[in-house]
């Protein structure tokens, strides 16, 4: 009996490994040879081999497989799909998040993108116009808004066209370079930095380049990038158009606020033709608009438009704008992360300046201050590594839509006071990163699509069995003795990524209440963000003590989150069985070394190169706008 159980276990293991890695025909052939071997040694009765031949015929004969296996699975898929959020974002292949979600991450994936660098032009802009802007802000503080002198300086020096290509008059700076520029400005005035971040993502120059007609581009784009003209892309709610005729409409706006103390030369306004219709965009040249009036009070401008007639053919349709808008939102999240980084680094500098050195003294009255400083440095190190990796991937052509959300999710857990765009739901990551889900979603509508669905669902089944086996093996047979080295942390990344893959399958095919499903999505998105932070830290070039201490804190957060997930899944018998088989029972908490804290404290107290590297891009002047810890 024992040998029979061992053989069955071996067959199941071999099946999971084969079907996850090989084609169905290859897996059937290898398993057939294994069964013949067991028959030769008389380990299994011949009845088991007959059952295997029947199942092999069923699985490898497409008409039989589609009728008795794929059709019921298609019906199940359709029932479960009703509880999923439909795909909203443009199709993306995913980058590192795809490797994490599917459990396929390898060591070389961490270093597939080079470390980001500031080039000579970006460094010159930081040392020149950016530093002069900080001095201008300090000499003429902005109260309630951006004063006219700062606004004209921003426009004339090209702060609103940092990412635009050279041939259009922009600077063509990298995402990492723009992030550093925004960080330095944010250390002096967060409102001006937020304006720079907005104009270099959801900005007029980017809109004109990607969405405007050729004629409008030739008139406005280069002039705006060069600072000869000013344009404003409104992010305020769309205005309802009063249609006069099928070919013409009329627009009326009352006191529309803008961040500029001067009236732009071009307005780009969102409008709706019906109350629930999609947003169109209208370009208005202010010089020739007699219906427009402008007022400025306390450095905050606003304009009104009274019965402005326009042709409906002049509107830019939503289909043209949507692809750009999704990417622009991602760029906005990347740019706004610089504001949070500047806020954290300012708090670190402030805490360091009020802490007596050396920090590692045994005086108990100084220990809370030292702990707070070390904890803040580890947060800065983790977040800075995430920014560097995300910017590096974006600069090398990766789609920023989903990886920017991972960065946003990390910002949301650092008590940011800045309003960020909403993150995508975890279902969007599954659609983009799961190897089979999106194709199954598209091909499950009816019998005429059964053949396509059949090919995907068999592969999906093998993928799921493979992930379940790996997680099961990791839980009951793998051990993770603590070692402060890259290999130890990478093994944990692999383990967590496989657990995330299994939890993603559970989210798809379990039957929780909508509220529970939404909360589980949030937990899985947080888990993905933490694994992403681990990969960013592991590939960073920070001091090993700081890097490993930051990784230890992230691991403890992940283990606590897994315990939270497990506790919320134990409400049913199936949930308890799932947790017992696949989720860790006892958290792998990594102790925070007192020796590490002592070394980090000494590193900060002596202001060595690593501390200066983290905060060297922050202007040392006192900020004019308040910041919170």
């Amino acid at each position: 009996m024992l040998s029979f159980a061992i053989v069955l276990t071996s067959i199941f293991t071999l099946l999971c490994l084969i079907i996850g890695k090989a084609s169905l025909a290859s897996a059937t052939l290898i398993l057939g040879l294994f069964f013949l071997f067991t028959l030769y040694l008389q380990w299994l009765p011949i009845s088991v081999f007959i059952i295997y031949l029947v199942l092999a015929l069923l699985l490898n004969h497409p008409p039989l497989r589609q009728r008795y296996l794929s059709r019921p699975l298609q019906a199940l898929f359709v029932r479960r799909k009703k509880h999923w959020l439909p795909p909203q974002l443009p199709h993306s292949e995913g980058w590192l998040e795809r490797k994490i979600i599917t459990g396929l991450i390898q060591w070389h994936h961490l270093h597939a993108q080079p470390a980001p660098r500031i080039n000579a032009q970006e460094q010159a802009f930081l040392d020149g116009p950016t530093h002069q802007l900080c001095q201008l802000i300090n000499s003429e503080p902005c109260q309630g808004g951006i004063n006219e002198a700062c606004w004209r300086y921003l426009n004339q020096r090209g702060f609103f066209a940092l990412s635009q290509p050279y041939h259009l008059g922009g600077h063509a700076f990298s995402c990492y370079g723009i992030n550093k520029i925004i960080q330095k400005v944010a250390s002096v005035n967060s409102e001006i930095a937020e304006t720079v971040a907005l104009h270099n993502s959801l900005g007029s120059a980017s809109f004109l380049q990607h969405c405007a007609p050729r004629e409008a581009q030739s008139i406005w784009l280069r002039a705006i990038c060069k600072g000869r003209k000013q344009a404003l892309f409104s992010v305020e709610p769309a205005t309802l158009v009063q249609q006069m005729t099928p070919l013409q409409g009329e627009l009326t706006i009352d006191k529309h606020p803008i961040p500029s103390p001067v009236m732009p030369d071009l307005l780009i306004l969102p409008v709706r033709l019906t109350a629930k219709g999609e947003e169109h965009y209208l370009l208005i040249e202010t010089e020739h608009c007699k219906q427009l009036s402008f007022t400025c009070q306390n450095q905050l401008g606003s304009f009104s438009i009274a019965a402005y007639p326009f042709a409906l053919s002049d509107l830019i349709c939503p289909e043209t704008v949507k692809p750009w808008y999704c990417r622009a939102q991602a760029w906005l999240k990347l740019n706004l992360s610089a504001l949070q980084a500047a806020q954290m680094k300012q708090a670190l500098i402030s805490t360091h300046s009020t802490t007596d050195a050396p920090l590692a003294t045994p005086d108990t009255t100084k220990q809370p201050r030292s702990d707070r400083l070390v904890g803040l440095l580890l947060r800065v190190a983790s977040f800075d590594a995430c920014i560097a990796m995300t910017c590096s991937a974006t600069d090398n052509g990766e789609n920023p839509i989903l990886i920017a959300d991972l960065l946003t999710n990390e910002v949301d857990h650092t008590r940011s006071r800045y309003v960020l765009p909403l993150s995508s739901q975890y279902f969007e990551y599954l659609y983009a990163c799961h190897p089979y889900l999106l194709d199954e979603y598209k091909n499950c509508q009816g019998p005429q699509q059964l053949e396509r669905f059949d090919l995907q669902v068999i592969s999906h089944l093998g993928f799921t069995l493979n992930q379940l086996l790996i997680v099961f093996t990791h839980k009951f047979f793998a051990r993770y003795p603590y070692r402060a080295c890259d290999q130890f942390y990478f093994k944990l990344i692999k383990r967590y990524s496989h657990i995330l893959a299994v939890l993603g399958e559970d989210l798809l095919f379990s039957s929780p209440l909508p509220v529970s499903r939404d909360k589980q999505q949030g937990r899985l998105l947080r888990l993905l963000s933490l694994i992403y932070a681990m990969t960013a830290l592991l590939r960073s070039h920070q001091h090993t003590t700081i890097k490993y201490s930051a990784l230890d804190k992230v691991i403890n957060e992940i283990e606590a989150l897994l315990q939270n997930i497990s506790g919320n899944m134990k409400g049913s018998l199936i949930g308890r069985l799932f947790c017992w088989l696949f989720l860790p029972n006892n958290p792998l908490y990594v102790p925070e070394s007192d020796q590490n804290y002592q070394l980090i404290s000494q590193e900060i107290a002596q202001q060595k190169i690593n501390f200066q590297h983290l905060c060297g891009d922050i202007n040392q002047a006192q900020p004019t706008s308040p910041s919170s810890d």
Side-chain angles (χ1 to χ4, degrees):
M1 184 66 183
L2 180 61
S3 62
F4 183 75
I6 293 174
V7 170
L8 286 182
T9 303
S10 302
I11 292 172
F12 176 74
T13 303
L14 187 61
L15 173 64
C16 293
L17 291 175
I18 291 172
I19 201 170
K21 302 293 183 181
S23 65
L24 183 60
S26 301
T28 306
L29 177 61
I30 296 173
L31 277 174
L33 294 175
F34 183 80
F35 270 110
L36 287 174
F37 179 72
T38 57
L39 283 176
Y40 176 76
L41 297 177
Q42 297 182 350
W43 288 351
L44 287 177
I46 192 170
S47 58
V48 176
F49 185 70
I50 294 174
I51 294 173
Y52 165 75
L53 289 178
V54 173
L55 292 176
L57 176 63
L58 173 65
L59 290 174
N60 287 274
H61 190 267
L64 289 176
R65 184 180 67 232
Q66 293 171 17
R67 181 177 180 180
Y68 294 106
L69 181 62
S70 298
R71 185 171 295 170
L73 289 176
Q74 187 184 41
L76 172 65
F77 200 93
V78 171
R79 290 197 302 271
R80 299 302 312 139
K81 191 181 75 167
K82 295 177 182 177
H83 304 287
W84 302 347
L85 296 174
Q88 300 290 337
L89 300 177
H91 177 63
S92 170
E93 292 295 333
W95 174 58
L96 191 62
E97 70 276 18
R98 180 185 179 91
K99 307 299 182 183
I100 295 174
I101 286 177
T102 56
L104 301 177
I105 187 169
Q106 300 296 331
W107 177 257
H108 68 272
H109 294 146
L110 272 64
H111 303 280
Q113 301 289 357
R117 294 285 186 270
I118 297 291
N119 61 36
Q121 291 81 7
E122 293 165 347
Q123 189 62 54
F125 194 88
L126 274 168
D127 297 337
T130 307
H131 183 69
Q132 293 170 11
L133 175 63
C134 294
Q135 292 179 328
L136 179 62
I137 295 170
N138 289 326
S139 62
E140 299 183 24
C142 301
Q143 302 295 334
I146 305 176
N147 60 46
E148 187 170 344
C150 285
W151 185 269
R152 294 193 183 279
Y153 185 89
L154 289 169
N155 189 58
Q156 292 170 0
R157 289 305 185 102
F159 279 86
F160 297 155
L162 297 176
S163 61
Q164 302 307 308
Y166 287 117
H167 69 276
L168 295 177
H171 294 286
F173 287 165
S174 66
C175 179
Y176 189 65
I178 295 172
N179 197 283
K180 291 297 183 183
I181 292 169
I182 296 173
Q183 282 192 43
K184 188 162 186 174
V185 177
S187 67
V188 181
N189 188 293
S190 61
E191 185 176 353
I192 293 178
E194 192 170 0
T195 301
V196 174
L198 187 64
H199 276 262
N200 285 281
S201 49
L202 285 172
S204 55
S206 180
F207 177 89
L208 290 170
Q209 180 186 352
H210 295 95
C211 305
R214 291 284 182 88
E215 182 180 356
Q217 290 180 3
S218 61
I219 296 174
W220 293 102
L221 188 51
R222 186 171 180 81
I224 290 171
C225 292
K226 283 291 188 181
R228 296 193 297 266
K229 298 285 186 179
Q230 296 187 40
L232 175 70
F233 177 84
S234 176
V235 294
E236 296 293 325
T239 305
L240 184 63
V241 173
Q242 300 174 358
Q243 291 194 35
M244 301 172 60
T245 68
L247 300 178
Q248 196 171 34
E250 187 177 270
L251 184 65
T252 299
I253 300 177
D254 184 39
K255 295 182 179 179
H256 187 293
I258 60 174
S260 169
V262 297
M263 188 63 198
D265 301 290
L266 179 69
L267 293 174
I268 306 173
L269 303 178
V271 297
R272 295 185 190 273
L273 300 181
T274 60
K276 296 184 179 181
E278 294 185 292
E279 290 185 353
H280 295 66
Y281 286 86
L282 177 65
L283 307 184
I284 299 180
E285 189 175 351
T286 58
E287 184 180 358
H288 301 107
C289 183
K290 299 179 180 179
Q291 296 84 357
L292 185 144
S293 60
F294 176 76
T295 58
C296 183
Q297 188 176 7
N298 296 327
Q299 301 174 355
L300 293 174
S302 65
F303 67 87
S304 300
I305 298 177
Y308 172 73
F310 64 92
L312 297 183
S313 59
D314 293 338
L315 294 176
I316 300 175
C317 64
E319 291 74 17
T320 304
V321 178
K322 279 182 180 178
W324 166 82
Y325 195 85
C326 287
R327 293 183 67 89
Q329 283 273 57
W331 276 93
L332 178 60
K333 294 171 185 178
L334 291 177
N335 290 345
L336 289 180
S337 69
L339 275 72
Q340 175 64 14
Q343 180 190 18
M344 295 166 65
K345 292 178 181 179
Q346 283 257 312
L348 180 61
I349 292 173
S350 175
T351 306
H352 172 256
S353 64
T354 57
T355 304
D356 296 332
L359 294 177
T361 58
D363 189 352
T364 57
T365 60
K366 296 177 182 178
Q367 192 61 35
R369 173 76 71 175
S370 176
D371 287 348
R372 178 172 180 268
L373 183 57
V374 172
L376 192 55
L377 175 65
L378 296 181
R379 282 176 56 198
V380 172
S382 177
F383 191 50
D384 206 61
C386 288
I387 289 177
M389 185 170 73
T390 306
C391 290
S392 175
T394 305
D395 289 334
N396 283 276
E398 299 295 342
N399 193 323
I401 294 177
L402 291 178
I403 53 176
D405 273 336
L406 298 181
L407 196 57
T408 301
N409 193 262
E410 187 65 23
V411 173
D412 290 343
H413 286 78
T414 54
R415 301 196 301 271
S416 172
R417 64 188 177 89
Y418 303 108
V419 179
L420 294 166
L422 294 176
S423 298
S424 300
Q425 297 290 334
Y426 193 72
F427 276 106
E428 291 291 350
Y429 288 87
L430 290 175
Y431 290 131
C433 302
H434 195 286
Y436 310 109
L437 181 63
L438 187 60
D439 289 333
E440 289 173 310
Y441 188 94
K442 295 177 179 177
N443 296 314
C444 68
Q445 303 302 323
Q448 65 277 9
Q449 296 178 321
L450 181 60
E451 184 176 352
R452 294 181 182 177
F453 180 82
D454 169 67
L455 297 175
Q456 299 298 326
V457 76
I458 296 299
S459 300
H460 189 165
L461 182 61
F463 170 80
T464 304
L465 290 174
N466 184 258
Q467 294 296 327
L468 289 172
L469 175 66
I470 293 173
V471 174
F472 178 84
T473 305
H474 282 184
K475 176 172 181 177
F476 289 100
F477 301 105
R479 296 294 179 265
Y480 299 92
Y482 177 74
R483 290 177 58 200
C485 62
D486 288 359
Q487 289 75 15
F488 167 75
Y489 293 109
F490 182 71
K491 286 180 181 179
L492 288 181
I493 289 175
K494 290 276 291 181
R495 177 198 184 202
Y496 295 142
S497 64
H498 287 300
I499 291 176
L500 183 62
V502 170
L503 289 172
E505 298 294 331
D506 173 76
L507 178 68
L508 290 171
F509 297 105
S510 62
S511 302
L513 296 174
V515 175
S516 301
R517 184 169 55 249
D518 292 342
K519 291 181 178 179
Q520 183 74 340
Q521 280 196 81
R523 297 186 194 103
L524 296 189
L525 186 57
R526 178 60 180 156
L527 178 58
L528 175 59
S529 298
L530 289 171
I531 301 173
Y532 186 79
M534 282 190 69
T535 61
L537 281 166
L538 198 56
R539 75 188 293 274
S540 67
H541 300 285
Q542 300 177 17
H543 190 280
T544 54
T545 302
I546 296 175
K547 179 169 72 171
Y548 291 157
S549 296
L551 280 165
D552 292 346
K553 291 183 73 69
V554 176
I555 290 171
N556 289 339
E557 285 189 62
I558 291 177
E559 292 292 337
L561 180 60
L562 288 176
Q563 293 301 305
N564 182 285
I565 292 173
S566 178
N568 283 278
M569 293 179 67
K570 291 181 178 178
S572 64
L573 178 61
I574 296 178
R576 288 193 292 271
L577 179 62
F578 181 89
C579 294
W580 180 77
L581 288 173
F582 305 113
L583 295 186
N585 295 327
N586 300 314
L588 179 72
Y589 287 123
V590 178
E592 296 174 350
S593 170
D594 293 335
Q595 183 179 3
N596 283 356
Y597 267 58
Q598 195 174 51
L599 291 173
I600 297 170
S601 299
Q602 292 173 355
E603 186 77 16
I604 300 172
Q606 297 171 17
Q607 290 197 12
K608 289 184 179 179
I609 187 64
N610 300 290
F611 176 69
Q612 295 173 352
H613 171 71
L614 278 176
C615 300
D617 52 352
I618 292 297
N619 194 286
Q620 299 295 324
Q622 187 69 21
T624 59
S625 56
S627 63
S628 59
D629 189 298

